[in-house]
Amino acid sequence: EVQLVESGGALVQPGGSLRLSCAASGFTFNHYWIHWLRRGPEKGLEWVSRINMDGTSPAYADSVRGRFTISRDNAKNTVFLQMNSLRVDDTAMYYCARESVGDFDYWGQGALVTVSS
Amino acid sequence: SYVLTQPPSVSVAPGQTARLACGGDKIGIESVHWYQQKPGQAPLLIIYDNTDRPSGIPERISGSNSGNTATLTISRVEAGDEADYFCQVWYSTSDQPWVFGGGTRLTVL
């Protein structure tokens, strides 16, 4: 059974940092691109970042580029999202998801990030 | 960047048919994917590549795509279909190709 489990969500002050983790199981991890997406309160889904199979080619949305860093450890079947210089509008549920040729076929249950003073 | 437009809300009575639109410039030449998200749950892929259903998705859920509009159709609507629905495309000419519509909240009256 394919599973993605996020962890690391928390309440953090503006300007602070947080590291999210996404632990995967049930599939050949290094054969897939993994993404982070988010949904803020009263907002829609937003693509945040993705990493390719060997971790050499990350990509970011304009809204987070320069502040967020995605990485992966294929030995541990885990993807990370390091979030720095957090802003109030980064408040959202963050999901990791597996990509299957352009769509996202499996999602984790999410990690809640709240940025507030 | 590519923009997908969805109506914010659609209401339908139980047993009727709901049609949720997703507009985009020449979207008919793109592959459109649809997700259902219920409160407190993760998004669930319900249609991929315009018309295909993942395993476990009922046949009363279907998709179509032509011209400037893709449509998600839910037949014989049930109370359990009440959710937010998002369309998504992979727009290859963009450096940020994973694009979502703003979402439609389906209310079952």
Side-chain angles (χ1 to χ4, degrees):
Chain A
E1 178 193 6
V2 173
Q3 282 197 316
L4 297 165
V5 179
E6 301 92 339
S7 61
L11 170 64
V12 63
Q13 292 189 337
S17 297
L18 211 54
R19 189 195 201 202
L20 303 182
S21 300
C22 169
S25 60
F27 63 101
T28 305
F29 182 68
N30 62 5
H31 286 190
Y32 289 88
W33 289 15
I34 303 294
H35 297 247
W36 287 97
L37 305 100
R38 67 186 181 184
R39 187 173 183 190
E42 305 304 319
K43 294 183 181 179
L45 287 170
E46 179 187 13
W47 174 78
V48 173
S49 181
R50 72 102 172 110
I51 193 157
N52 63 334
M53 288 179 249
D54 63 5
T56 57
S57 178
Y60 303 94
D62 288 343
S63 57
V64 306
R65 187 177 295 116
R67 301 186 298 123
F68 290 12
T69 303
I70 191 172
S71 60
R72 68 190 293 162
D73 183 339
N74 283 344
K76 295 183 177 178
N77 288 4
T78 302
V79 173
F80 305 97
L81 186 68
Q82 177 67 41
M83 304 185 293
N84 297 331
S85 302
L86 282 161
R87 306 168 181 166
V88 171
D89 63 1
D90 291 320
T91 295
M93 186 70 80
Y94 283 73
Y95 300 97
C96 61
R98 187 181 85 167
E99 180 183 342
S100 171
V101 197
D103 63 67
F104 304 104
D105 61 348
Y106 287 93
W107 298 64
Q109 283 302 304
L112 182 61
V113 174
T114 303
V115 185
S116 174
S117 54
Chain B
S1 61
Y2 194 68
V3 177
L4 296 176
T5 301
Q6 297 182 253
S9 62
V10 168
S11 299
V12 63
Q16 299 303 302
T17 297
R19 295 179 178 85
L20 282 62
C22 175
D25 184 40
K26 301 182 181 67
I27 196 174
I29 65 172
E30 307 294 339
S31 281
V32 179
H33 319 295
W34 290 90
Y35 303 86
Q36 176 194 67
Q37 188 173 27
K38 298 180 180 180
Q41 297 185 18
L44 174 70
L45 179 68
I46 58 173
I47 292 288
Y48 65 98
D49 293 346
N50 299 319
T51 60
D52 294 338
R53 281 183 304 275
S55 174
I57 302 302
E59 291 185 5
R60 61 187 186 83
I61 292 177
S62 62
S64 62
N65 187 15
S66 179
N68 292 318
T69 304
T71 303
L72 175 71
T73 300
I74 305 174
S75 303
R76 302 181 298 284
V77 166
E78 305 169 355
D81 296 326
E82 192 160 280
D84 294 327
Y85 292 83
F86 296 91
C87 58
Q88 178 248 321
V89 302
W90 183 79
Y91 191 59
S92 59
T93 59
S94 171
D95 63 345
Q96 300 175 61
W98 300 277
V99 180
F100 287 89
T104 295
R105 176 154 296 174
L106 176 65
T107 299
V108 181
L109 300 171

